[in-house]
Amino acid sequence: MALDANGMDARDGMHWQRPCCSPVFSAATCLLALSLICLEAVGHTQAANAASEAFPGAEGYGKSAQGGRGGAIIAVTNLEDSGPGSLRACIEAAGPRNCVFQIGGTIKLKRTLIVRSDNALVSILGQTAPGGGIVLTIERPDKKGKNTLLGIKGTKDVIVRHIRIRPQLPNTVKNVDGLVIENSQRVYVDHVSVSWATDENISTHADATEVTIANSILAEGLNKHSKCTLLGSDPQAPQKLTFLRNLCLSNNDRNPDNNHFGQSCIEIVNNVFFNARSEWAEIFSQFPGGTPIAYAGNYFKAGPSTNDLTYAIRSKDAARVANPQIYQEGNVTWAPPSKTIVTVAPDTERFLVSSPPCALSVTAIAPAAKAYHNVRTRSGAFPRDSLDQGWANDMGPEGEKGDGRMVSEPGQIPSMETGPPYRDDDQDGMADSVEAKFAAKPGVSDAWAVSNPDGPAHFDEFMEWLSEERIAGRYPR
């Protein structure tokens, strides 16, 4: 979905695509002082190399997203829509910065959170939130129609991790996306959970490129416009997009929907698509050169809502201007005896190619059965709430019957466990109790120092460790 200058939807409702050693600042202070970010002065090499990965283990075309590397550590201290200490204050600040949460719970938005060109270079790190984590929601339609929850618009170097996005609007409110990446470069979305959008749960629009969407749950888009993800909406040039180890569950169609210029590099790898009703992967080819796309190691599984005959990979004729180039390898389908999923639609076989149109940027591709297990146990924001855990249970074991349903209204957001944040007396964003594990020094604000010139910063190491701790059900003191 496109956002206009005010965060409003710039499309109609139809699906038609045209041919530092910085302390933990309060958000209010950072609005005034982020331009004065200081360099590390502890005798180590600054870890702000532009070639660095988004975080240790990052993959795909978005892996070079820098986020807030080398910048301020901003504490989110309340759940208000705006004002000092809010997530919005951190997002709308300037300069490289990292939003770390000293509180967990639900943020009830009054309007879209938008990362704009002036707000580039930001990491939103939900794994830091204590208790049950962070949920973004919106309960009342905005008078100006700004109902998408999180927008990344006309900007660069954004990282979003371990956030839940659950709008509470009825299906009569059109074009509510969970997260939109529009005309932006170097974006990494990781371990995000999105549900109950009235348009796509996640979408990319215009010249969004060098993007990875990974390890996320995109569930139960609201009918009558229930969609998982639209990855090619009105681009103006070739793109590089990775869709990796995600779960699309109980969405009618767009599982995913792609439409790109020739010379794009589009890869759909190790995802699970479960309980689609009518359409799985849809390939439009409405731009010069035709859509080049690779599907590798994905698992397509029919559920109770799935039509009796469906096609996992299917090219669409609408306004085609050139033939797509479709590579598929290692994809698996499963359906109960009463239903059939054909891997490639008969009218699409003529567009198959023998090698990926682009060399895959994801080099370690798991067999589809292993990917199924990985997605079932590790996708979404952690710690998982009862919704994500329920959807993982609905998938059922690999190769066995699952459960699920189509929905037309949002469910209830579960109550969340509360708890204190980890102790961080030196205000470098890391838990004092484990700093030594990363060769950091408790009592010293050394977030961006490194142990060796070629390694990640202490802060980056800690945040990846913390992500794994949250997946394992642990949180530091």
Side-chain angles (χ1 to χ4, degrees):
M1 186 186 85
L3 302 175
D4 69 12
N6 295 312
M8 297 175 64
D9 182 14
R11 303 176 304 172
D12 61 22
M14 301 298 290
H15 170 55
W16 184 257
Q17 299 176 0
R18 295 187 301 276
C20 217
C21 53
S22 54
V24 179
F25 292 100
S26 71
T29 302
C30 285
L31 287 171
L32 300 174
L34 279 174
S35 61
L36 302 177
I37 293 166
C38 58
L39 298 176
E40 288 295 336
V42 293
H44 293 285
T45 302
Q46 176 79 9
N49 187 334
S52 299
E53 296 178 352
F55 49 85
E59 298 177 86
Y61 289 115
K63 69 183 295 183
S64 62
Q66 296 299 290
R69 177 168 287 126
I73 313 297
I74 303 181
V76 177
T77 58
N78 64 62
L79 302 175
E80 299 300 318
D81 169 80
S82 60
S86 68
L87 175 59
R88 188 182 303 276
C90 181
I91 286 177
E92 293 183 352
R97 63 213 180 279
N98 300 269
C99 306
V100 299
F101 294 84
Q102 294 184 352
I103 189 170
T106 300
I107 300 174
K108 296 181 179 180
L109 299 174
K110 297 178 181 178
R111 55 190 173 90
T112 305
L113 288 169
I114 305 181
V115 183
R116 302 182 187 275
S117 59
D118 293 341
N119 316 125
L121 299 165
V122 61
S123 295
I124 303 170
L125 300 168
Q127 67 264 45
T128 60
I134 289 292
V135 179
L136 305 181
T137 192
I138 186 169
E139 298 178 330
R140 297 181 180 179
D142 182 89
K143 293 180 180 180
K144 296 182 179 180
K146 294 178 284 187
N147 296 313
T148 288
L149 282 79
L150 179 59
I152 299 170
K153 178 181 172 65
T155 191
K156 63 183 180 180
D157 292 299
V158 178
I159 298 171
V160 182
R161 305 189 75 186
H162 290 281
I163 297 290
R164 299 186 197 93
I165 301 175
R166 307 210 188 283
Q168 293 278 279
L169 298 174
N171 65 359
T172 54
V173 180
K174 295 182 179 180
N175 299 319
V176 178
D177 288 62
L179 190 158
V180 177
I181 304 165
E182 178 181 351
N183 200 32
S184 294
Q185 184 177 11
R186 297 189 299 275
V187 177
Y188 207 114
V189 175
D190 182 58
H191 286 291
V192 168
S193 298
V194 189
S195 58
W196 308 327
T198 69
D199 205 350
E200 292 82 27
N201 282 311
I202 285 183
S203 65
T204 66
H205 181 75
D207 290 340
T209 190
E210 294 181 70
V211 172
T212 294
I213 300 170
N215 302 308
S216 295
I217 294 178
L218 314 173
E220 291 189 354
L222 299 188
N223 282 290
K224 300 180 178 179
H225 198 72
S226 169
K227 317 292 180 184
C228 181
T229 182
L230 174 60
L231 295 179
S233 174
D234 292 334
Q236 304 299 311
Q239 300 165 277
K240 294 183 176 181
L241 306 174
T242 300
F243 194 71
L244 174 67
R245 292 191 300 268
N246 302 294
L247 170 61
C248 283
L249 177 142
S250 296
N251 300 287
N252 187 75
D253 58 321
R254 299 186 189 171
N255 291 286
D257 181 317
N258 287 88
N259 190 10
H260 306 277
F261 275 80
Q263 299 183 23
S264 293
C265 296
I266 312 298
E267 54 191 19
I268 314 296
V269 178
N270 280 161
N271 303 282
V272 177
F273 303 100
F274 173 64
N275 197 40
R277 174 177 284 160
S278 61
E279 300 282 358
W280 306 90
E282 302 171 70
I283 305 111
F284 292 82
S285 204
Q286 299 171 342
F287 299 101
T291 296
I293 191 165
Y295 299 89
N298 300 287
Y299 201 109
F300 299 85
K301 182 176 180 178
S305 307
T306 306
N307 291 345
D308 289 347
L309 175 62
T310 54
Y311 302 97
I313 299 171
R314 189 171 195 178
S315 175
K316 298 291 186 172
D317 293 333
R320 180 187 295 145
V321 300
N323 291 339
Q325 305 97 56
I326 302 169
Y327 173 78
Q328 77 90 16
E329 179 67 31
N331 299 293
V332 169
T333 65
W334 185 92
S338 61
K339 300 182 179 185
T340 300
I341 305 176
V342 178
T343 302
V344 179
D347 59 0
T348 301
E349 291 180 352
R350 61 195 174 106
F351 301 127
L352 295 179
V353 295
S354 59
S355 60
C358 295
L360 296 179
S361 71
V362 178
T363 55
I365 300 173
K370 183 177 181 181
Y372 188 97
H373 174 76
N374 289 341
V375 167
R376 193 177 185 212
T377 57
R378 292 178 55 86
S379 62
F382 280 82
R384 277 181 171 169
D385 62 9
S386 59
L387 291 167
D388 281 351
Q389 190 56 57
W391 289 322
N393 293 340
D394 284 348
M395 292 169 64
E398 188 270 324
E400 299 181 24
K401 184 179 179 180
D403 202 354
R405 59 180 186 144
M406 294 288 159
V407 302
S408 57
E409 59 185 25
Q412 184 176 356
I413 295 175
S415 59
M416 299 181 66
E417 178 185 348
T418 60
Y422 53 79
R423 187 165 181 171
D424 181 23
D425 289 344
D426 56 16
Q427 300 183 323
D428 56 10
M430 299 181 286
D432 296 340
S433 61
V434 298
E435 283 198 35
K437 183 187 296 286
F438 312 103
K441 296 179 180 179
V444 177
S445 183
D446 55 355
W448 304 114
V450 297
S451 299
N452 66 76
D454 298 321
H458 300 329
F459 183 84
D460 290 337
E461 287 188 290
F462 169 76
M463 286 301 162
E464 181 57 20
W465 172 85
L466 183 57
S467 175
E468 290 298 317
E469 288 291 284
R470 300 319 301 266
I471 293 169
R474 297 185 293 266
Y475 183 78
R477 290 186 286 181

